[in-house]
Amino acid sequence: MGESSLSSAAITDNLGTRFIGQRVIYYPKLESTMDVAKRQAQKGAREGTVIIAGEQTAGRGRMKRGWLSPRGSIALSIILYPEMSYLSSLIMVASLGVVHCLEKVVGLKSQIKWPNDVLINGKKVCGILIESELKGNRADYATVGIGINVNIKLSDFPEILPTATSLSHELGRDVSRLDMVRCLLAEIERLYLALPSGDAVYQEWRDNLVTLGKKVQVRSKETTYEGIAESVASDGSLLLRQSDGSLTKIVAGDVTLQN
Ligand code: BTN
């Protein structure tokens, strides 16, 4: 599927959602969808507004890293106004949404590396970045950024070749970004709306984590921890059993699997 298929109208047409993707702002080329989403949220854009770019020139990743999003990838940000208590669940909603759509749209099985990298056969195919602004003790807004390597020839990008994969690489053919984006918006809305009904999203996210039970190294701010990734709490934090028997709760960090 070519660039022309990814337009605001094509994404929104008969999408069937209540609010996510009912307003889509498409840019053929943009520095980062996160910046535009933030500005839109600060102006009070309606909930579910999506900023999507055909390609990004200064994509942002977690832990102040960059994110490569050449033509052929998916780069989008969704504006949400969640209740404070649901803020930590957004990583679960977004990563599970991606896992479901990879299976539904292209039949690929994937796993989640804590907190929200999506892997296929151990290689990263999707990164998720959630930024939020608090107002007093409530969430003012959150922007959920999703980057997926869709139709990307990995040999053109030697810097990510050892650790990343793309859908076209896995399947040996190009994939419709439009179908994937429409699935994502519908699935993310379904999971987001399910949050008040209980723990189902947390439990499914936990069950899809490739990290649990593994020996890991976790870099969190200035500290590096090592141990067994024993479990995750319902707020999304990782419970790490260290060699001295202690259990450490890690809210954010970067995991390297050691076995
Ligand atoms: C990571 O794994 O470090 C997170 C990567 C998040 C990338 C997406 S692409 C869409 C949105 N815009 C950005 O600049 N970043 C996020």
Side-chain angles (χ1 to χ4, degrees):
M1 281 273 169
E3 190 65 56
S4 59
S5 64
L6 208 57
S7 67
S8 306
I11 293 168
T12 310
D13 186 40
N14 275 319
L15 186 61
T17 57
R18 282 198 225 162
F19 56 100
I20 295 187
Q22 290 303 316
R23 179 171 177 236
V24 173
I25 310 175
Y26 170 75
Y27 295 84
K29 197 174 188 171
L30 194 61
E31 287 190 350
S32 166
T33 57
M34 296 308 277
D35 299 334
V36 178
K38 180 178 177 175
R39 283 199 296 274
Q40 284 285 334
Q42 285 168 336
K43 283 197 298 192
R46 63 180 281 190
E47 181 160 49
T49 297
V50 173
I51 314 301
I52 182 163
E55 64 184 294
Q56 292 185 127
T57 54
R60 293 210 300 275
R62 293 175 59 240
M63 322 273 288
K64 297 198 163 76
R65 286 186 294 243
W67 178 261
L68 206 62
S69 357
R71 243 183 104 113
S73 49
I74 286 174
L76 63 83
S77 300
I78 305 170
I79 297 171
L80 296 173
Y81 301 107
E83 277 181 28
M84 189 71 174
S85 56
Y86 299 134
L87 206 49
S88 61
S89 304
L90 295 182
I91 57 165
M92 307 174 196
V93 164
S95 51
L96 268 185
V98 173
V99 167
H100 290 172
C101 290
L102 289 176
E103 170 96 58
K104 234 175 168 162
V105 178
V106 289
L108 284 172
K109 293 252 182 276
S110 56
Q111 300 84 35
I112 302 167
K113 182 164 79 94
W114 183 87
N116 53 12
D117 286 351
V118 181
L119 313 181
I120 296 177
N121 296 322
K123 299 229 169 154
K124 182 160 168 173
V125 69
C126 165
I128 293 165
L129 176 67
I130 295 177
E131 295 179 338
S132 58
E133 194 79 34
L134 304 183
K135 208 176 220 173
N137 57 359
R138 66 175 192 84
D140 191 23
Y141 65 82
T143 52
V144 179
I146 301 177
I148 306 182
N149 303 331
V150 184
N151 302 319
I152 292 183
K153 196 170 156 210
L154 294 171
S155 54
D156 289 346
F157 303 97
E159 62 273 45
I160 60 166
L161 191 57
T163 52
T165 191
S166 69
L167 300 185
S168 58
H169 178 80
E170 294 296 322
L171 294 164
R173 64 171 170 86
D174 275 3
V175 166
S176 162
R177 286 188 295 166
L178 180 63
D179 290 351
M180 190 60 70
V181 167
R182 285 169 57 87
C183 178
L184 278 175
L185 302 181
E187 195 55 20
I188 286 173
E189 178 176 286
R190 190 184 69 75
L191 292 162
Y192 182 59
L193 291 174
L195 289 177
S197 326
D199 270 355
V201 171
Y202 155 66
Q203 284 166 9
E204 198 190 342
W205 172 73
R206 183 193 58 198
D207 295 347
N208 276 275
L209 285 172
V210 71
T211 320
L212 298 190
K214 301 257 168 68
K215 198 170 167 212
V216 294
Q217 190 180 69
V218 190
R219 282 191 300 116
S220 178
K221 296 197 178 123
E222 280 90 52
T223 314
T224 301
Y225 303 89
E226 278 188 2
I228 305 289
E230 191 162 292
S231 187
V232 279
S234 57
D235 66 359
S237 50
L238 182 70
L239 302 174
L240 185 78
R241 182 73 65 186
Q242 291 178 275
S243 54
D244 62 0
S246 62
L247 197 62
T248 305
K249 188 170 168 160
I250 302 171
V251 178
D254 221 19
V255 164
T256 310
L257 301 177
Q258 299 201 299
N259 55 0

